[in-house]
Amino acid sequence: MQKLIINATVSRTSIGADPTFKIVVPNNVKPNELEYVLSRVMYNMVRIYARGKHIPFEDALVQYKEAMAVHIGVIHDQEQKLKEEQDGR
């Protein structure tokens, strides 16, 4: 039995346009399933980054952890700004 955990697509309306991301997590996905999938993806990203930079995995993990915290903060700020604009503030 297989179960779809996450479906992600990216598209561009034209060359040079900003990408549009669509990420769908089905309602029947349990939090621990999503956490596991995302953790495995992140693990592989850190592993590949470490290998490409020729640095220890632990160093790559520290760098990635800091970069992810910044990136998640930026996404949050962007979504809050969009919500405020939609609410007419």
Side-chain angles (χ1 to χ4, degrees):
M1 177 180 146
Q2 291 185 342
K3 180 178 182 180
L4 180 67
I5 302 296
I6 189 170
N7 185 6
T9 58
V10 61
S11 61
R12 285 191 166 85
T13 55
S14 63
I15 296 174
D18 288 336
T20 300
F21 294 89
K22 182 176 181 181
I23 301 169
V24 178
V25 177
N27 291 333
N28 66 338
V29 172
K30 297 175 185 168
N32 66 320
E33 295 170 329
L34 182 59
E35 290 168 4
Y36 181 79
V37 167
L38 295 176
S39 294
R40 290 298 299 188
V41 168
M42 293 303 299
Y43 165 75
N44 283 308
M45 290 174 65
V46 172
R47 187 177 54 79
I48 291 166
Y49 177 74
R51 187 174 50 216
K53 293 288 186 179
H54 306 287
I55 60 175
F57 177 85
E58 293 77 14
D59 293 346
L61 181 59
V62 168
Q63 292 176 21
Y64 241 84
K65 182 172 53 174
E66 291 172 6
M68 286 303 299
V70 169
H71 191 70
I72 290 169
V74 168
I75 292 169
H76 174 74
D77 292 346
Q78 289 172 338
E79 289 190 1
Q80 289 301 317
K81 182 180 177 184
L82 181 61
K83 183 179 177 185
E84 289 173 5
E85 289 171 358
Q86 290 173 343
D87 290 345
R89 295 183 198 171

